[in-house]
């Protein structure tokens, strides 16, 4: 169901998944940001990751 | 020489962090070769090619961090390994990012820390991106997807989902956006204003926003779509979404669309969407004809023309008090015949190629407009050559040239050694995400290049355009002053730099004609 996107009407608050330089930039701009500690699922083992996905 | 390897089990770091650590370590005295990578199959191949794949490295698991160093002694290896810890701890412990913090491992736990988050920026390896984007969309979050290597079927699936939910999915391969005056990924600090942008090209957005700022205008939003959005398969889905959002946005008075020429099948739906807008729209399908279709739609052929038109339409009188630069070709030798362009911005390279079409036919590139002018070997210039150094062929195993100037510094020197080089042309892209002080690496290379040419009795003019604003972290004026001190000629726009190069070509041709 399509709702009106309120993004432009509110302060931007960011979750950053990946490159830390982007979190550094957002902090410099005084933007609220949470840096995730993202790791490849199942330590990058594709077979195990696929299995975990099926179990989810 | 010995090769030593240190393995850190289950220690995941992003590729840019690791490449910057690797670059730092390669400067240590006594280090002959170094690899700092996650032990994926691909990275093991990279280590093997570099002669750094030891038995330990070969046996490491994909989530292990491998540091392999080739050096003269055990002491140097020890020093390098200690330095790795120091550099990585600086990142994790706060350093650039402020105090130590608990980092959530999942989107759910991140949302517990920041319940009213409204944007997720994703830059993880492309093969893992689809699942994470889908989770974010399911949580009604807008997404900027910086990652590339996402297949087009997944892009279509995810964008359809985003569109149906009224969310933005900027990307994949979206490098630039400015949302609510916040620069995301690679973007500049731009004055707040009434011009809203939707763009399929990162450096295209950077150049247009920077010039809008330069001309006295300002930005409401700059939405990136990713480079494939206007292909037939995707149908311009995010550009259409962006147009709709900006048309409804009360803080946007003028809309600018930026893209390389879209698929012919997509153009009609974009034009139809523009026609429904109650605001003027400037369309820059880079290289398209400059024309006015009706009183609300304007086509601009260059990024510069698009910025200028948008500022005028937003009701601001243009502040533009510069003269076109002229390069003195009288002191060049008869051998110096060709211009050599070294770009870090893909669309800046593309715009320069377009501008130069009016001056010369034999401009070769790794990313030519016409395939007939594709360089056989991007590592060697041929006649007039413009290179996009951000293309995959140059960025495997190293950061993008907007972050790391090493490759460009090397190439500046390489081109200076070629007696046929008449002029070096380059961009210097500032803003968040980019190198914190580009001139620190570029100026020594430019000085060396000029000295090398001088030693062989040649002058080597260098023309550069600095794409940035005074408010950017690198401070535009500081960069310009350092370049000018090194004898670089600075232009006011990228198109102007290309026109200066074009005028040089014409002037050289005239000299040849006079001589014969």
């Amino acid at each position: 169901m399509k709702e009106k996107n309120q993004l432009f009407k509110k302060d931007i608050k960011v979750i950053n998944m990946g490159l830390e330089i982007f979190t550094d930039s957002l902090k410099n701009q005084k933007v609220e940001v949470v840096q995730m500690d993202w790791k490849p699922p199942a330590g990058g083992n594709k077979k195990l990751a696929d299995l975990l996905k099926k179990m989810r | 020489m010995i090769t030593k390897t240190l393995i850190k089990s289950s220690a995941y770091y992003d590729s840019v962090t690791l490449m910057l650590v690797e670059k730092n370590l390669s400067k240590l005295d006594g280090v002959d070769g170094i690899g700092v990578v996650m032990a994926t199959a691909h990275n093991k191949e990279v280590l093997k090619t570099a002669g750094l794949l030891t038995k330990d490295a070969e046996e490491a698991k994909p989530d292990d961090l491998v540091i392999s160093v080739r050096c003269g002694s055990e002491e140097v290896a020890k020093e390098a390994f200690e330095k790795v810890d120091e550099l990585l701890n600086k990142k994790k412990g706060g350093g650039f990012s402020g105090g130590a913090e608990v980092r959530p491992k999942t989107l759910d736990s991140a949302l517990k820390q920041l319940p009213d988050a409204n944007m997720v920026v994703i830059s993880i390896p492309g093969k893992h991106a689809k699942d994470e984007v889908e989770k974010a969309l399911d949580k009604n979050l807008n997404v900027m997807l910086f990652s590339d290597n996402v297949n087009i079927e997944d892009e279509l699936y995810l964008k359809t989902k985003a569109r149906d939910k009224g969310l933005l999915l900027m990307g994949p391969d979206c490098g630039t956006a400015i949302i609510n005056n916040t620069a995301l990924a690679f973007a500049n600090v731009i004055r707040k204003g009434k011009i809203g942008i939707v763009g399929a090209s990162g450096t295209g957005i950077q150049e247009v926003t920077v010039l809008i700022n330069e001309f006295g205008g300002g930005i409401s939003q700059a939405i990136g779509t990713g480079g494939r959005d206007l292909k037939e398969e995707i149908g311009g889905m995010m550009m259409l979404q962006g147009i709709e959002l900006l048309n409804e946005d009360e803080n946007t008075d003028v809309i600018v669309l930026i893209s390389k020429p879209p698929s012919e099948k997509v153009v009609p739906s974009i034009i139809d969407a523009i026609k429904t807008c109650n605001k003027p729209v400037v369309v820059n399908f880079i290289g398209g004809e400059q024309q006015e279709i009706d009183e609300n739609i304007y086509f601009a052929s260059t990024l510069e023309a698009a910025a200028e038109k948008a500022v005028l339409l937003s009701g601001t009188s243009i502040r533009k008090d510069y003269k076109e630069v002229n390069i003195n070709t009288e002191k060049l030798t008869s051998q110096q015949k060709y211009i050599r362009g070294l770009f870090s911005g893909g669309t800046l390279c593309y715009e320069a190629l377009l501008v130069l079409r009016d001056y010369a036919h034999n401009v070769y590139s790794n990313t030519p407009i016409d395939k007939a002018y594709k360089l056989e070997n991007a590592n060697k210039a041929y006649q007039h050559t413009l290179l996009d150094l951000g293309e995959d062929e140059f960025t495997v195993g190293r950061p993008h040239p907007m972050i790391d100037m090493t490759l460009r510094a090397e190439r500046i020197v390489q081109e200076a050694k070629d007696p046929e080089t008449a002029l070096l042309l380059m961009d210097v892209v500032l803003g968040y995400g980019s190198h914190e002080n580009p001139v620190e690496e570029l100026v020594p290379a430019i000085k060396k290049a000029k000295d090398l040419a001088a030693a062989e009795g040649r002058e080597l003019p260098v023309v550069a355009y600095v794409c940035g604003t005074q408010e950017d972290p690198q401070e535009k004026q500081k960069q310009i002053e350092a370049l000018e001190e090194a004898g670089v000629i600075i232009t006011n726009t990228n198109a102007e730099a290309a026109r200066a190069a074009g005028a040089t070509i014409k002037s050289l041709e005239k000299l040849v004609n006079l001589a014969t």
Side-chain angles (χ1 to χ4, degrees), chain B residues 55-123:
Chain B
K55 193 162 175 291
D56 286 350
E58 205 168 349
E59 287 169 0
K61 297 193 298 295
D63 63 339
D64 292 342
L65 172 63
V66 173
I67 303 111
S68 259
V69 59
R70 183 171 59 243
C71 55
S73 69
E74 295 275 350
E75 287 72 37
V76 175
K78 193 168 164 253
E79 190 192 347
F81 294 153
E82 281 169 7
K83 185 102 179 155
V84 170
D85 281 336
E86 184 193 317
L87 292 166
L88 290 175
N89 286 338
K90 193 168 147 194
K91 282 307 276 180
K92 285 269 170 184
F96 317 118
S97 321
E101 61 214 33
V102 182
R103 294 188 165 184
K105 292 188 179 350
T106 64
L107 192 61
D108 281 324
S109 46
L111 276 168
K112 280 185 190 134
Q113 277 191 29
L114 195 61
D116 49 354
N118 47 15
M119 176 70 68
V120 186
V121 178
I122 300 179
S123 54

Coordinates of all heavy atoms in Angstrom, one line a residue, chain B residues 55-123:
Chain B
K55 N 50.9 -20.1 2.8 CA 50.1 -21.3 3.2 C 49.0 -20.8 4.2 O 47.8 -21.2 4.1 CB 51.0 -22.4 3.8 CG 50.3 -23.7 3.9 CD 51.3 -24.8 4.1 CE 50.6 -26.1 4.3 NZ 50.0 -26.2 5.6
D56 N 49.4 -20.0 5.2 CA 48.4 -19.6 6.2 C 47.3 -18.8 5.5 O 46.1 -19.0 5.8 CB 49.1 -18.6 7.2 CG 50.0 -19.4 8.2 OD1 49.9 -20.7 8.2 OD2 50.8 -18.8 8.9
A57 N 47.7 -17.9 4.6 CA 46.6 -17.1 3.9 C 45.7 -18.0 3.1 O 44.5 -17.8 3.0 CB 47.3 -16.1 3.0
E58 N 46.3 -19.0 2.5 CA 45.5 -19.9 1.6 C 44.5 -20.6 2.4 O 43.4 -20.9 2.0 CB 46.5 -20.9 0.9 CG 45.9 -21.4 -0.3 CD 47.0 -22.2 -1.1 OE1 48.2 -22.1 -0.8 OE2 46.6 -22.9 -2.1
E59 N 44.8 -20.9 3.7 CA 43.9 -21.7 4.5 C 42.9 -20.9 5.3 O 42.0 -21.4 6.0 CB 44.8 -22.6 5.5 CG 45.5 -23.7 4.8 CD 46.5 -24.4 5.7 OE1 46.7 -24.0 6.8 OE2 47.1 -25.4 5.2
A60 N 43.0 -19.6 5.2 CA 42.1 -18.7 6.0 C 40.7 -18.8 5.5 O 40.5 -19.1 4.3 CB 42.6 -17.3 5.9
K61 N 39.8 -18.5 6.4 CA 38.3 -18.6 6.1 C 37.8 -17.2 5.5 O 38.5 -16.2 5.8 CB 37.5 -19.0 7.3 CG 37.9 -20.4 7.8 CD 36.8 -20.9 8.8 CE 36.8 -20.1 10.1 NZ 38.0 -20.1 10.9
P62 N 36.7 -17.2 4.8 CA 36.3 -15.9 4.2 C 36.1 -14.8 5.2 O 36.2 -13.7 4.9 CB 35.0 -16.3 3.5 CG 35.0 -17.8 3.3 CD 35.8 -18.3 4.4
D63 N 35.7 -15.1 6.5 CA 35.5 -14.0 7.4 C 36.8 -13.8 8.3 O 36.7 -13.0 9.3 CB 34.3 -14.3 8.3 CG 34.5 -15.5 9.2 OD1 35.4 -16.4 8.8 OD2 33.8 -15.7 10.2
D64 N 37.9 -14.3 7.8 CA 39.2 -14.0 8.5 C 39.9 -12.8 7.8 O 39.8 -12.7 6.5 CB 40.2 -15.2 8.4 CG 39.7 -16.3 9.2 OD1 38.9 -16.1 10.1 OD2 40.2 -17.5 9.0
L65 N 40.5 -12.0 8.6 CA 41.3 -10.9 8.0 C 42.7 -11.4 7.8 O 43.3 -11.9 8.7 CB 41.3 -9.7 9.0 CG 42.2 -8.5 8.6 CD1 41.8 -7.9 7.3 CD2 42.1 -7.4 9.7
V66 N 43.3 -11.2 6.6 CA 44.6 -11.6 6.3 C 45.5 -10.4 6.1 O 45.2 -9.5 5.3 CB 44.7 -12.5 5.0 CG1 46.1 -12.8 4.6 CG2 43.9 -13.8 5.2
I67 N 46.7 -10.4 6.8 CA 47.7 -9.4 6.5 C 48.9 -10.1 6.0 O 49.5 -10.8 6.8 CB 48.0 -8.5 7.7 CG1 46.7 -7.9 8.3 CG2 49.0 -7.4 7.4 CD1 46.3 -8.5 9.6
S68 N 49.3 -9.9 4.8 CA 50.5 -10.6 4.3 C 51.5 -9.5 3.9 O 51.2 -8.6 3.1 CB 50.2 -11.4 3.0 OG 50.1 -12.8 3.4
V69 N 52.7 -9.7 4.3 CA 53.7 -8.7 4.0 C 55.0 -9.3 3.5 O 55.5 -10.3 4.0 CB 54.0 -7.8 5.3 CG1 54.5 -8.6 6.5 CG2 55.0 -6.6 5.0
R70 N 55.5 -8.7 2.4 CA 56.9 -9.2 1.9 C 57.8 -8.1 2.3 O 57.6 -6.9 1.9 CB 56.8 -9.4 0.4 CG 58.1 -9.9 -0.2 CD 57.9 -10.3 -1.6 NE 57.5 -9.2 -2.4 CZ 56.3 -9.1 -3.1 NH1 55.5 -10.1 -3.0 NH2 56.0 -8.0 -3.7
C71 N 58.9 -8.4 3.0 CA 59.8 -7.4 3.5 C 61.2 -8.0 3.7 O 61.4 -9.2 3.6 CB 59.3 -6.8 4.7 SG 58.9 -8.0 6.0
G72 N 62.1 -7.1 4.1 CA 63.5 -7.5 4.3 C 63.8 -8.3 5.6 O 64.8 -9.1 5.6
S73 N 63.0 -8.1 6.6 CA 63.4 -8.8 7.9 C 62.2 -9.0 8.8 O 61.1 -8.5 8.5 CB 64.3 -7.8 8.7 OG 63.6 -6.7 9.1
E74 N 62.4 -9.9 9.8 CA 61.3 -10.2 10.7 C 60.8 -8.9 11.5 O 59.7 -8.8 11.7 CB 61.8 -11.2 11.8 CG 62.2 -12.6 11.3 CD 61.0 -13.5 11.2 OE1 60.0 -13.2 11.7 OE2 61.2 -14.6 10.6
E75 N 61.8 -8.0 11.7 CA 61.5 -6.8 12.5 C 60.5 -6.0 11.7 O 59.5 -5.4 12.3 CB 62.8 -6.0 12.8 CG 63.7 -6.6 13.8 CD 64.4 -7.8 13.3 OE1 64.8 -7.8 12.1 OE2 64.6 -8.7 14.1
V76 N 60.7 -5.8 10.4 CA 59.8 -5.0 9.6 C 58.4 -5.6 9.6 O 57.4 -4.9 9.8 CB 60.3 -4.9 8.1 CG1 59.3 -4.1 7.3 CG2 61.7 -4.2 8.1
A77 N 58.3 -7.0 9.5 CA 57.0 -7.6 9.5 C 56.3 -7.4 10.8 O 55.1 -7.1 10.9 CB 57.2 -9.1 9.3
K78 N 57.1 -7.5 11.9 CA 56.5 -7.2 13.2 C 56.0 -5.8 13.4 O 54.9 -5.5 13.8 CB 57.6 -7.5 14.3 CG 57.1 -7.6 15.7 CD 58.2 -8.1 16.6 CE 57.8 -7.8 18.1 NZ 58.5 -6.8 18.7
E79 N 56.8 -4.9 12.8 CA 56.4 -3.5 12.9 C 55.1 -3.3 12.1 O 54.2 -2.6 12.5 CB 57.5 -2.6 12.3 CG 57.3 -1.1 12.5 CD 58.2 -0.3 11.6 OE1 59.2 -0.8 11.1 OE2 58.0 0.9 11.5
A80 N 55.0 -3.9 10.9 CA 53.8 -3.8 10.1 C 52.6 -4.3 10.8 O 51.5 -3.7 10.8 CB 54.0 -4.5 8.7
F81 N 52.7 -5.5 11.4 CA 51.6 -6.1 12.1 C 51.1 -5.3 13.3 O 49.9 -5.1 13.6 CB 52.0 -7.5 12.6 CG 52.2 -8.5 11.5 CD1 53.0 -9.6 11.6 CD2 51.6 -8.3 10.2 CE1 53.3 -10.5 10.6 CE2 51.8 -9.2 9.2 CZ 52.7 -10.3 9.3
E82 N 52.1 -4.7 14.0 CA 51.7 -3.8 15.1 C 51.0 -2.6 14.6 O 50.0 -2.1 15.2 CB 53.0 -3.4 15.9 CG 53.5 -4.4 16.8 CD 54.9 -4.2 17.4 OE1 55.4 -3.0 17.2 OE2 55.4 -5.0 18.1
K83 N 51.4 -2.1 13.5 CA 50.8 -0.9 12.9 C 49.4 -1.2 12.5 O 48.5 -0.3 12.6 CB 51.7 -0.4 11.7 CG 51.2 0.9 11.1 CD 52.1 2.1 11.5 CE 51.6 3.3 10.8 NZ 51.9 4.5 11.4
V84 N 49.1 -2.4 12.0 CA 47.8 -2.8 11.6 C 46.8 -2.6 12.8 O 45.8 -2.0 12.7 CB 47.7 -4.3 11.1 CG1 46.3 -4.7 11.0 CG2 48.5 -4.5 9.8
D85 N 47.3 -3.2 13.9 CA 46.4 -3.1 15.1 C 46.1 -1.6 15.5 O 45.0 -1.2 15.8 CB 47.1 -3.8 16.3 CG 47.0 -5.3 16.2 OD1 46.0 -5.7 15.6 OD2 47.8 -6.0 16.8
E86 N 47.2 -0.8 15.4 CA 47.1 0.6 15.8 C 46.0 1.3 14.8 O 45.1 2.0 15.3 CB 48.4 1.2 15.6 CG 48.5 2.7 16.0 CD 49.8 3.3 15.5 OE1 50.9 2.6 15.7 OE2 49.8 4.4 15.0
L87 N 46.2 1.0 13.5 CA 45.3 1.7 12.6 C 43.8 1.2 12.7 O 42.9 2.0 12.7 CB 45.8 1.5 11.1 CG 47.1 2.2 10.8 CD1 47.7 1.6 9.5 CD2 46.9 3.7 10.7
L88 N 43.7 -0.1 12.9 CA 42.3 -0.6 13.0 C 41.7 -0.2 14.3 O 40.5 0.1 14.3 CB 42.3 -2.1 12.9 CG 42.6 -2.7 11.4 CD1 42.7 -4.2 11.5 CD2 41.6 -2.2 10.4
N89 N 42.4 -0.2 15.4 CA 41.9 0.2 16.7 C 41.4 1.7 16.7 O 40.4 2.0 17.3 CB 42.9 0.0 17.8 CG 43.0 -1.4 18.2 OD1 42.1 -2.2 17.9 ND2 44.2 -1.8 18.7
K90 N 42.2 2.5 15.9 CA 41.9 3.9 15.8 C 40.5 4.0 15.2 O 39.7 4.8 15.6 CB 42.9 4.5 14.8 CG 42.9 6.0 14.9 CD 44.1 6.5 14.1 CE 43.9 7.8 13.4 NZ 44.9 8.1 12.5
K91 N 40.1 3.2 14.2 CA 38.8 3.2 13.6 C 37.7 2.7 14.6 O 36.8 3.4 14.9 CB 38.8 2.3 12.3 CG 39.4 2.9 11.1 CD 38.9 4.2 10.7 CE 37.6 4.2 9.9 NZ 37.2 5.6 9.6
K92 N 38.0 1.5 15.1 CA 36.9 0.9 15.9 C 36.7 1.6 17.2 O 35.6 1.7 17.7 CB 37.3 -0.6 16.2 CG 37.1 -1.5 15.0 CD 35.7 -2.1 15.0 CE 35.4 -2.8 13.7 NZ 34.2 -3.3 13.4
G93 N 37.8 2.1 17.8 CA 37.7 2.7 19.2 C 37.2 4.1 19.2 O 37.0 4.7 20.2
G94 N 36.8 4.6 18.1 CA 36.3 6.0 18.0 C 37.1 6.7 17.0 O 36.7 6.8 15.9
G95 N 38.3 7.3 17.4 CA 39.1 8.0 16.5 C 38.3 9.0 15.7 O 37.8 10.0 16.3
F96 N 38.1 8.8 14.4 CA 37.3 9.7 13.6 C 35.9 9.8 14.0 O 35.2 10.7 13.7 CB 37.4 9.3 12.1 CG 38.8 8.9 11.7 CD1 39.0 7.6 11.2 CD2 39.9 9.8 11.8 CE1 40.3 7.2 10.8 CE2 41.1 9.4 11.4 CZ 41.4 8.1 10.9
S97 N 35.3 8.7 14.6 CA 33.9 8.6 14.7 C 33.3 9.0 16.1 O 32.2 8.8 16.4 CB 33.4 7.2 14.4 OG 34.1 6.6 13.4
G98 N 34.2 9.6 16.9 CA 33.7 10.0 18.2 C 33.9 8.8 19.2 O 34.7 8.0 19.0
G99 N 33.2 8.8 20.3 CA 33.4 7.8 21.4 C 33.1 6.4 21.0 O 32.5 6.2 20.0
A100 N 33.6 5.5 21.8 CA 33.3 4.1 21.5 C 31.8 3.9 21.7 O 31.1 4.5 22.4 CB 34.0 3.2 22.5
E101 N 31.2 3.0 20.9 CA 29.8 2.8 20.9 C 29.5 1.3 20.7 O 30.3 0.6 20.1 CB 29.2 3.6 19.8 CG 29.7 3.2 18.5 CD 29.8 4.4 17.5 OE1 30.1 5.5 17.9 OE2 29.6 4.2 16.3
V102 N 28.3 0.9 21.1 CA 27.9 -0.4 20.8 C 27.3 -0.5 19.4 O 26.4 0.3 19.0 CB 26.8 -0.9 21.8 CG1 26.4 -2.3 21.5 CG2 27.3 -0.7 23.2
R103 N 27.9 -1.4 18.6 CA 27.4 -1.4 17.2 C 26.5 -2.5 16.9 O 26.9 -3.7 17.1 CB 28.6 -1.5 16.3 CG 29.5 -0.3 16.4 CD 30.6 -0.3 15.4 NE 31.1 1.0 15.3 CZ 32.1 1.4 14.4 NH1 32.5 0.5 13.6 NH2 32.5 2.6 14.4
P104 N 25.3 -2.2 16.5 CA 24.3 -3.3 16.3 C 24.7 -4.2 15.1 O 25.3 -3.7 14.1 CB 23.0 -2.5 16.0 CG 23.4 -1.2 15.6 CD 24.7 -0.9 16.3
K105 N 24.4 -5.5 15.2 CA 24.8 -6.4 14.2 C 23.6 -6.6 13.2 O 23.8 -7.1 12.1 CB 25.2 -7.7 14.8 CG 26.5 -7.7 15.6 CD 26.9 -9.1 16.0 CE 28.2 -9.1 16.8 NZ 29.0 -7.9 16.9
T106 N 22.4 -6.3 13.6 CA 21.3 -6.4 12.7 C 20.5 -5.1 12.6 O 20.6 -4.2 13.4 CB 20.3 -7.5 13.3 OG1 19.7 -7.0 14.5 CG2 21.0 -8.8 13.5
L107 N 19.6 -5.1 11.5 CA 18.8 -3.9 11.3 C 17.8 -3.7 12.5 O 17.6 -2.6 12.9 CB 18.1 -4.0 10.0 CG 17.4 -2.8 9.5 CD1 18.4 -1.7 9.2 CD2 16.7 -3.1 8.2
D108 N 17.3 -4.8 13.0 CA 16.4 -4.7 14.1 C 17.0 -4.0 15.3 O 16.4 -3.2 15.9 CB 15.9 -6.1 14.5 CG 14.8 -6.6 13.5 OD1 14.0 -5.8 13.1 OD2 14.8 -7.8 13.2
S109 N 18.2 -4.5 15.6 CA 18.9 -3.9 16.8 C 19.3 -2.4 16.5 O 19.3 -1.6 17.4 CB 20.0 -4.7 17.3 OG 20.8 -5.2 16.3
A110 N 19.6 -2.1 15.3 CA 20.0 -0.7 14.9 C 18.7 0.2 15.1 O 18.8 1.3 15.6 CB 20.4 -0.6 13.5
L111 N 17.6 -0.4 14.8 CA 16.3 0.4 14.9 C 16.0 0.6 16.4 O 15.3 1.6 16.7 CB 15.2 -0.3 14.2 CG 15.1 0.0 12.7 CD1 14.2 -0.9 12.0 CD2 14.7 1.5 12.4
K112 N 16.4 -0.3 17.2 CA 16.2 -0.1 18.7 C 17.0 1.1 19.2 O 16.6 1.8 20.0 CB 16.5 -1.4 19.5 CG 15.4 -2.4 19.4 CD 15.7 -3.6 20.3 CE 14.6 -4.6 19.9 NZ 15.2 -6.0 19.8
Q113 N 18.2 1.3 18.6 CA 19.1 2.4 19.0 C 18.5 3.7 18.4 O 18.7 4.8 19.0 CB 20.5 2.2 18.5 CG 21.3 1.3 19.4 CD 22.8 1.4 19.0 OE1 23.3 2.3 18.5 NE2 23.5 0.3 19.3
L114 N 18.0 3.6 17.2 CA 17.5 4.8 16.5 C 16.1 4.5 15.9 O 16.0 4.3 14.7 CB 18.5 5.2 15.4 CG 18.4 6.6 14.7 CD1 18.7 7.7 15.7 CD2 19.5 6.7 13.6
P115 N 15.1 4.6 16.8 CA 13.8 4.1 16.4 C 13.2 4.9 15.3 O 12.4 4.4 14.5 CB 12.9 4.2 17.6 CG 13.9 4.4 18.8 CD 15.1 5.0 18.2
D116 N 13.5 6.2 15.2 CA 12.9 7.0 14.1 C 13.8 7.2 12.9 O 13.7 8.3 12.2 CB 12.4 8.4 14.7 CG 13.4 9.1 15.6 OD1 14.5 8.5 15.8 OD2 13.2 10.2 16.0
A117 N 14.7 6.3 12.7 CA 15.6 6.3 11.5 C 14.7 6.3 10.3 O 13.6 5.7 10.3 CB 16.5 5.1 11.5
N118 N 15.1 7.1 9.3 CA 14.2 7.1 8.0 C 15.1 6.9 6.8 O 14.6 7.0 5.7 CB 13.4 8.4 7.9 CG 14.3 9.7 8.2 OD1 15.5 9.6 8.2 ND2 13.7 10.8 8.4
M119 N 16.4 6.5 7.0 CA 17.2 6.3 5.8 C 18.3 5.2 6.2 O 18.8 5.3 7.3 CB 17.9 7.6 5.4 CG 18.9 7.4 4.3 SD 18.2 7.1 2.7 CE 17.3 8.6 2.3
V120 N 18.4 4.2 5.3 CA 19.5 3.3 5.5 C 20.5 3.5 4.4 O 20.1 3.4 3.2 CB 19.0 1.8 5.6 CG1 20.2 0.9 5.9 CG2 17.9 1.7 6.6
V121 N 21.8 3.7 4.7 CA 22.8 3.8 3.6 C 23.5 2.4 3.6 O 24.1 2.0 4.6 CB 23.8 4.9 3.9 CG1 24.9 5.0 2.8 CG2 23.0 6.3 3.9
I122 N 23.5 1.8 2.5 CA 24.1 0.4 2.4 C 25.2 0.4 1.4 O 25.1 0.7 0.2 CB 23.0 -0.6 2.0 CG1 21.8 -0.6 3.0 CG2 23.6 -2.0 1.8 CD1 20.7 -1.5 2.7
S123 N 26.4 -0.1 1.9 CA 27.6 -0.1 1.0 C 28.3 -1.4 1.3 O 29.6 -1.5 1.2 CB 28.5 1.1 1.3 OG 28.8 1.2 2.7

